[in-house]
């Protein structure tokens, strides 16, 4: 039995339980009620991730949602409620939860940040220690710097390693934000 035929049979069985036919208008009415509830539950400023393009996402939801791409939304409910005339530009960045009183040692080490604050990339400050017994001579002369208590210290430089950024494994998605009721 095909999927369509099986679905029709299930609708017919469900309809017989209610002793009435399930019409297309009833299905549309239920879909409208579900969309209304979703729109009522999700407040202005809600962010959603999706694999859809902006036009596809708006076709599935409404034009109340736009890409969070930094555009001007003056006059929108978002602008009136938050006081911001632009939505945040969330293209190509990771989202980070607000500390909301959480200790700086376990949350954002920069402390409380305003909603929508952008922070550039950085690595945590650290030091590498080398002892002279791990420096290997690759056949060339060992270079020395002056300035240690012993008068000279071997200079050891490593070759750079890695990519263009420090990042976790990731998948690219579109980020949308609700701007109107």
């Amino acid at each position: 039995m095909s999927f369509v035929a099986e679905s029709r049979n299930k609708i017919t069985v469900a309809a017989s339980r209610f002793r009435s036919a399930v019409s297309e208008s009833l299905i549309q009415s239920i879909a409208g009620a579900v969309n209304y509830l979703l729109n009522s539950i999700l407040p202005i400023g809600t962010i959603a991730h999706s694999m859809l393009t902006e036009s596809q996402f708006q076709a599935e939801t409404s034009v109340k949602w736009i890409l969070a791409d930094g555009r001007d939304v003056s006059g929108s409910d978002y602008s009136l409620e938050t006081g911001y005339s632009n939505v945040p530009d969330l293209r190509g960045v990771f989202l980070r939860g607000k500390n909301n009183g959480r200790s700086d040692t376990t949350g954002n080490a920069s402390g409380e940040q305003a909603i929508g604050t952008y922070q550039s990339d950085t690595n945590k400050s650290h030091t590498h220690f080398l002892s002279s017994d791990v420096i290997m001579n690759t056949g060339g002369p060992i270079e020395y710097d002056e300035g240690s208590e012993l008068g000279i210290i071997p200079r050891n430089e490593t070759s750079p390693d890695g990519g263009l950024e420090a990042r976790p494994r990731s998948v690219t998605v579109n980020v949308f934000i609700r701007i109107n009721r």
Side-chain angles (χ1 to χ4, degrees):
M1 181 179 297
S2 76
F3 176 77
V4 173
E6 187 176 332
S7 297
R8 284 187 183 138
N9 285 343
K10 287 180 181 178
I11 291 172
T12 303
V13 169
S16 67
R17 288 185 189 156
F18 296 104
R19 295 192 176 118
S20 65
V22 177
S23 67
E24 182 65 29
S25 64
L26 178 59
I27 292 171
Q28 291 296 328
S29 176
I30 292 170
V34 169
N35 279 334
Y36 172 77
L37 287 173
L38 287 175
N39 286 330
S40 299
I41 294 170
L42 301 175
I44 300 301
T46 296
I47 293 172
H49 295 87
S50 177
M51 302 296 282
L52 301 178
T53 64
E54 183 174 43
S55 59
Q56 291 169 328
F57 191 83
Q58 288 177 343
E60 292 291 323
T61 58
S62 72
V63 294
K64 298 172 185 176
W65 292 83
I66 62 168
L67 280 171
D69 58 5
R71 72 179 77 169
D72 186 317
V73 293
S74 297
S76 69
D77 293 333
Y78 174 84
S79 178
L80 296 172
E81 204 161 304
T82 65
Y84 299 128
S85 59
N86 293 71
V87 294
D89 190 348
L90 302 179
R91 296 173 293 176
V93 298
F94 292 96
L95 301 181
R96 182 175 200 163
K98 182 168 174 39
N99 273 6
N100 287 316
R102 184 175 186 169
S103 165
D104 291 352
T105 61
T106 57
N108 186 337
S110 298
E112 286 297 333
Q113 300 291 310
I115 295 291
T117 299
Y118 173 82
Q119 290 182 293
S120 63
D121 56 344
T122 184
N123 286 320
K124 186 173 182 176
S125 178
H126 63 283
T127 304
H128 296 270
F129 296 98
L130 292 176
S131 63
S132 59
D133 60 342
V134 298
I135 299 173
M136 295 185 287
N137 188 347
T138 59
I142 298 178
E143 297 181 34
Y144 294 91
D145 287 332
E146 294 184 23
S148 76
E149 293 172 3
L150 302 174
I152 56 171
I153 51 174
R155 183 184 317 147
N156 185 17
E157 294 179 11
T158 60
S159 298
D161 184 34
L164 298 174
E165 63 182 349
R167 69 170 172 261
R169 294 180 178 127
S170 61
V171 174
T172 300
V173 296
N174 275 322
V175 182
F176 295 93
I177 186 166
R178 184 162 183 202
I179 62 163
N180 285 310
R181 288 179 176 58

